Amino acid sequence: MGKPEFIGKKSKAAGGWGALKSCGKKLLASGAPLSGAATMLKANQPDGFDCPGCAWGDPEHGSSFEFCENGVKAVAWESTDKRVKPDFFTKHTVSELRTWTDYDLEREGRLTHPMRYDAASDRYVQTTWDEAFAEIGSVLNSLASPDRAEFYTSGRASNEAAYIYQLFVRLYGTNNFPDCSNMCHEASGVALEQAVGIGKGTVLLEDFEKADAIFVIGQNPGTNHPRMLGDLRRAALRGANIAVFNPVREKGLERFADPQDKLEMITGGSTPIASEYFQVRLGGDMAAVRGMAKAVFAADDAALAAGRPSVLDRNFLAQHTSGFEFYRASVDATSWQQIEDQSGLTRTQLEDLAQIYIGANRTICTWAMGVTQHRHSVATIREIANFMFLRGNIGRPGTGLCPVRGHSNVQGDRTVGINEKPSRAFLESLEKEFGVSMPRRHGHNVIAAIGAMLDGSAEAFIALGGNFARATPDSPLIAKALMNQKLTVNIATKLNHSHLLPGKVSYVLPCLGRTEIDRNADGAAQIVTVEDSMSMVHGSGGINKPASRELRSEIGIIAGIAEATVGSAVVDWKGLAHHYDRIRDLIARTIPGFQNYNERVRRPRGFRLPNGAAERIWHTPTQKATFGRVELPDQTEHQKAIADKGTFVLQTFRSHDQYNTTVYGLDDRYRGVYGERRVVFVNPADLAEIGAEAGERVDIIGRYDDSIERIAESFRVVPYELPRGSVAGYYPELNVLVPLSSAGELSDTPTSKSVLVSFRLSEQAKAA
């Protein structure tokens, strides 16, 4: 059998002419290529808007261009000239639209008018803002308890929108804040809070210019945050070692051609990124880091025995850490056999990597969802922190812990109060400012919210952005949960599948995008703010004409719902929506670190929020950085798969032509797949065990033991370089296989990177 047509040539390197060609195609497809190109010149600039894509930081010194291929796709997607007007819904029922793909729905264009679902005709019909706010408020106030409503937040929301959202919901009476961070970096926040006293990374972008070694674990920046590749490329060119742990060979971590480098573009050249690339088994990252730590201890013992200086930073360990001896004992008790079995790497490989770490004066460790979406994700991040403590690689220039967040303001939303477990200090600050009591009982995260919607203890769901139905696991259960509701409300820029699962009363409320001018009632343009992965807060002001005169800002929509629900006796919602400076003044008075907010955010590049760990100030119970005393898992999912013949462990990931649940196109040129998304990547040696050839269709069957049948039907097999027993495929298509009841310990994050599955030939393949 020859190579199937959908499997084609892989890019030789990330970026380069392929990126420029892809940008051009997306701008042309938007219908507004010239304005789209002009818009990109203002992306991540002091007088422009913050890119609606990833949360990678902006350099302190700035540059002429601060955008990437994904940024162009995001802007083209938002600034399209296509519109979904009310007459669109007269032509299509909700049941019909439910059969469309994510890609087909979103390429119809921008929503233009507030819409209400009409069950009799199975269509959305136009409504007015006042009618929408009044009915939403009425339904919310009819519930037996505020705890019977769920309030979801996407990481796209600005600080100002997130702050008044949490303020409204707490005045309403609940802490139910299922949030997109629950599905991605929750483990990072939990682990880092325990280890260093703050649930954020400790690096600045400038630290990448000074690091001697960078460890990249479970991360694919080429697709998920491409601007990071420029910083990795510059580090590689000056001789820094970049060690990568990733089950998949990802092009962006192998080579990168910088579109802003004239010589590389003229010659077709590229720069190697990873100096060391190790394909760790799925779920084996903790064992790999433990192995490096074990090798560091052995090297330290040898140095001391020979009368040489210790390879550990003994001063840092003594002055700034607690629990070191317990951790050392745990590492000593871990056998090399267990480390090799779980990681899939050899002792020699890990000892060589330890030497890179020992030889570097300054080291950064960076990670993403390849680490966080496992059952033992919190323990893994604690292990990463432990490893970095050994040589004092935190709180010095060129060092630090760097979880790379996804959506552009997922960190900021949490900072300003989107948290189902708010701190006592935060609630007391709100009570002091507004003179009323705030709810103290912890609310629901995503997993708990879904459970409440399924068992009937939640009856209303409001989403500030996002595509909840497609971002969450166990897709059929989520559909049932949403359609069980008395009320569903989605604040959005484009139509998506969450809107097609209406409750008894259902609204789709269209909002302004990040690139659009947001004017107040006086006609003055307003800015919003966001926080990136480096704790930097930036201003963002749109420059494009809104897609429709009917659009309102997220802040304006929240204010309208709040006024209709809780009234304006405590908060002047219209006043806040009229002048966002007033919201920032409230934030400054109620959240530490935001003093002089309005002044500082208008400076070029904004300002950095306090980060105690970056200054070696530890807000932990011991007032020191704390070693985690955690054991390796008894058995990873990958080990279970090896032990059970015919079972594999699946990870879901993005294609290069998508961002989160937004699908920009059907190509994944970095992996050599074109015009097809229903694919599964399999090690060539595993194909015989599956009984399939390249391009054949298989059904993927979930193997989670909870009596729920999970089948992803008719996916085409793609041979790919993965560890034996590991397979991979795109979400959201494969979310149907991710069990809702399988979540990270202490994080409740879905285990989307460790799903046990088996295969069978699809009926179509059998017939052929």
Side-chain angles (χ1 to χ4, degrees):
M1 182 177 178
K3 185 167 69 173
E5 290 183 4
F6 73 94
I7 301 177
K9 185 178 179 181
K10 301 176 188 175
S11 300
K12 293 181 180 179
W17 288 109
L20 292 181
K21 182 179 179 181
S22 177
C23 290
K25 287 173 64 176
K26 292 298 184 292
L27 288 171
L28 285 171
S30 74
L34 295 179
S35 62
T39 301
M40 285 311 308
L41 296 178
K42 291 293 186 180
N44 300 315
Q45 296 301 309
D47 60 343
F49 62 92
D50 194 85
C51 179
C54 75
W56 189 246
D58 300 335
E60 194 73 27
H61 44 71
S63 72
S64 299
F65 302 102
E66 283 298 335
F67 61 85
C68 63
E69 180 181 350
N70 263 14
V72 173
K73 290 175 181 176
V75 167
W77 179 89
E78 182 173 289
S79 59
T80 176
D81 67 350
K82 300 175 182 177
R83 301 288 183 264
V84 176
K85 298 180 180 180
D87 63 353
F88 171 86
F89 294 100
T90 66
K91 303 172 186 175
H92 305 286
T93 65
V94 166
S95 297
E96 177 205 340
L97 292 172
R98 211 176 285 141
T99 67
W100 290 25
T101 66
D102 302 272
Y103 174 60
D104 287 335
L105 283 174
E106 293 184 350
R107 69 174 177 171
E108 288 296 318
R110 295 287 301 279
L111 294 160
T112 61
H113 292 72
M115 307 296 291
R116 185 189 190 280
Y117 180 65
D118 175 62
S121 63
D122 190 29
R123 286 175 167 83
Y124 275 101
V125 296
Q126 185 177 347
T127 187
T128 68
W129 286 106
D130 288 344
E131 289 172 348
F133 295 152
E135 186 170 26
I136 293 167
S138 176
V139 175
L140 288 176
N141 285 325
S142 74
L143 302 182
S145 165
D147 288 330
R148 298 183 74 84
E150 307 291 347
F151 297 87
Y152 178 71
T153 318
S154 159
R156 188 200 66 199
S158 66
N159 287 337
E160 293 77 9
Y163 183 83
I164 71 161
Y165 193 50
Q166 65 82 28
L167 180 58
F168 150 54
V169 173
R170 291 194 164 104
L171 289 174
Y172 174 60
T174 186
N175 284 312
N176 285 349
F177 285 110
D179 175 45
C180 64
S181 63
N182 298 150
M183 293 179 284
C184 54
H185 267 286
E186 193 68 44
S188 297
V190 172
L192 293 178
E193 187 77 37
Q194 294 173 351
V196 299
I198 186 170
K200 304 181 183 183
T202 66
V203 302
L204 281 171
L205 201 58
E206 285 67 29
D207 288 318
F208 282 82
E209 300 172 2
K210 302 166 186 173
D212 304 311
I214 302 170
F215 286 78
V216 181
I217 306 178
Q219 182 179 3
N220 177 20
T223 290
N224 301 331
H225 24 266
R227 282 194 295 143
M228 181 180 180
L229 291 183
D231 295 287
L232 293 178
R233 174 182 177 273
R234 287 184 285 274
L237 287 173
R238 62 178 175 77
N241 282 302
I242 299 175
V244 172
F245 293 93
N246 200 314
V248 185
R249 300 291 303 192
E250 298 289 13
K251 192 60 63 179
L253 289 168
E254 294 178 315
R255 303 192 70 88
F256 176 55
D258 189 347
Q260 297 183 46
D261 187 297
K262 295 179 182 178
L263 182 60
E264 283 192 345
M265 296 303 288
I266 292 171
T267 62
S270 60
T271 301
I273 299 298
S275 50
E276 306 287 344
Y277 201 124
F278 292 101
Q279 289 182 265
V280 66
R281 287 175 173 168
L282 281 167
D285 304 287
M286 183 180 177
V289 178
R290 174 67 57 93
M292 290 191 295
K294 193 173 182 71
V296 169
F297 285 136
D300 184 63
D301 291 342
L304 294 177
R308 299 191 304 271
S310 173
V311 302
L312 305 180
D313 187 335
R314 297 280 177 177
N315 289 333
F316 177 83
L317 293 172
Q319 295 178 25
H320 291 284
T321 71
S322 64
F324 170 70
E325 295 300 333
F326 289 114
Y327 175 67
R328 172 69 195 261
S330 181
V331 173
D332 288 344
T334 307
S335 71
W336 275 110
Q337 180 179 350
Q338 186 181 15
I339 289 168
E340 290 180 322
D341 285 348
Q342 288 196 6
S343 69
L345 305 179
T346 67
R347 175 175 179 173
T348 299
Q349 288 173 320
L350 294 170
E351 287 174 337
D352 289 345
L353 283 166
Q355 287 302 314
I356 290 175
Y357 182 64
I358 291 169
N361 290 322
R362 297 173 296 272
T363 299
I364 289 172
C365 189
T366 175
W367 67 91
M369 289 191 289
V371 168
T372 63
Q373 290 184 325
H374 288 281
R375 179 169 44 87
H376 53 280
S377 52
V378 171
T380 300
I381 297 164
R382 293 300 303 272
E383 189 71 17
I384 291 171
N386 293 342
F387 180 63
M388 295 290 280
F389 294 159
L390 296 181
R391 288 180 49 79
N393 278 305
I394 184 169
R396 294 188 289 121
T399 70
L401 299 160
C402 182
V404 181
R405 309 280 174 169
H407 228 144
S408 63
N409 199 39
V410 64
Q411 181 63 68
D413 289 352
R414 180 59 58 89
T415 299
V416 300
I418 301 297
N419 191 338
E420 79 280 3
K421 298 177 181 178
S423 70
R424 179 176 177 178
F426 176 68
L427 294 179
E428 288 178 347
S429 181
L430 292 180
E431 289 172 342
K432 180 180 178 181
E433 175 67 28
F434 296 102
V436 296
S437 297
M438 296 290 165
R440 297 301 178 106
R441 182 164 55 183
H442 287 173
H444 294 157
N445 61 15
V446 165
I447 298 297
I450 294 169
M453 288 192 284
L454 285 170
D455 69 20
S457 58
E459 301 174 277
F461 176 84
I462 297 181
L464 178 57
N467 187 352
F468 188 81
R470 301 294 277 163
T472 45
D474 257 335
S475 307
L477 286 179
I478 307 308
K480 180 181 177 183
L482 289 172
M483 296 179 77
N484 275 349
Q485 300 302 287
K486 286 184 177 179
L487 171 71
T488 56
V489 179
N490 285 278
I491 300 169
T493 56
K494 285 191 175 183
L495 190 66
N496 66 48
H497 271 282
S498 293
H499 311 160
L500 307 177
L501 301 167
K504 183 177 179 181
V505 174
S506 187
Y507 284 93
V508 175
L509 305 179
C511 65
L512 294 170
R514 185 76 61 79
T515 64
E516 292 172 319
I517 300 171
D518 181 356
R519 298 188 186 278
N520 62 20
D522 296 331
Q526 305 210 73
I527 66 166
V528 294
T529 61
V530 298
E531 179 186 350
D532 64 28
S533 284
M534 281 75 177
S535 301
M536 295 292 296
V537 179
H538 314 272
S540 177
I543 64 170
N544 289 339
K545 179 181 177 181
S548 165
R549 291 182 179 179
E550 285 287 321
L551 299 186
R552 295 197 181 186
S553 69
E554 290 180 325
I555 295 167
I557 295 171
I558 297 164
I561 295 173
E563 184 177 39
T565 306
V566 300
S568 298
V570 175
V571 175
D572 177 9
W573 302 106
K574 286 182 179 177
L576 295 182
H578 188 58
H579 287 296
Y580 299 168
D581 281 6
R582 296 173 183 171
I583 303 175
R584 286 185 283 272
D585 285 339
L586 287 176
I587 294 173
R589 292 199 296 270
T590 54
I591 302 178
F594 284 94
Q595 61 271 18
N596 301 320
Y597 194 174
N598 277 306
E599 176 188 345
R600 290 193 293 159
V601 82
R602 287 179 166 86
R603 299 171 185 169
R605 303 294 158 184
F607 62 95
R608 193 186 196 198
L609 290 170
N611 191 307
E615 301 173 14
R616 296 189 170 181
I617 299 170
W618 319 102
H619 298 294
T620 63
T622 63
Q623 298 297 296
K624 291 185 176 184
T626 306
F627 276 90
R629 188 183 179 185
V630 288
E631 306 300 327
L632 294 186
D634 292 334
Q635 190 180 41
T636 65
E637 274 68 21
H638 200 287
Q639 288 175 306
K640 294 177 185 177
I642 292 173
D644 186 3
K645 187 174 175 60
T647 299
F648 300 82
V649 59
L650 165 76
Q651 67 164 321
T652 64
F653 55 23
R654 300 167 177 158
S655 82
H656 187 59
D657 232 1
Q658 76 177 94
Y659 195 77
N660 293 339
T661 59
T662 299
V663 178
Y664 298 126
L666 302 179
D667 294 342
D668 189 351
R669 71 176 189 279
Y670 288 175
R671 299 187 183 110
V673 175
Y674 297 89
E676 180 67 80
R677 286 188 55 84
R678 296 182 69 83
V679 298
V680 59
F681 298 87
V682 182
N683 184 298
D686 286 331
L687 287 179
E689 187 172 336
I690 293 174
E693 297 183 7
E696 278 195 310
R697 294 191 178 275
V698 297
D699 297 335
I700 313 171
I701 304 165
R703 295 293 296 271
Y704 196 72
D705 188 18
D706 61 357
S707 302
I708 297 177
E709 182 181 68
R710 298 179 178 88
I711 303 175
E713 295 182 333
S714 195
F715 278 67
R716 302 178 76 173
V717 175
V718 178
Y720 210 78
E721 190 175 352
L722 287 159
R724 289 292 308 272
S726 295
V727 298
Y730 305 134
Y731 78 87
E733 288 84 354
L734 286 173
N735 281 4
V736 65
L737 298 172
V738 182
L740 180 63
S741 53
S742 178
E745 297 166 356
L746 301 181
S747 71
D748 259 2
T749 300
T751 56
S752 300
K753 297 294 187 290
S754 52
V755 183
L756 293 176
V757 299
S758 60
F759 293 89
R760 70 186 180 203
L761 288 178
S762 69
E763 292 301 321
Q764 184 176 346
K766 291 176 183 177

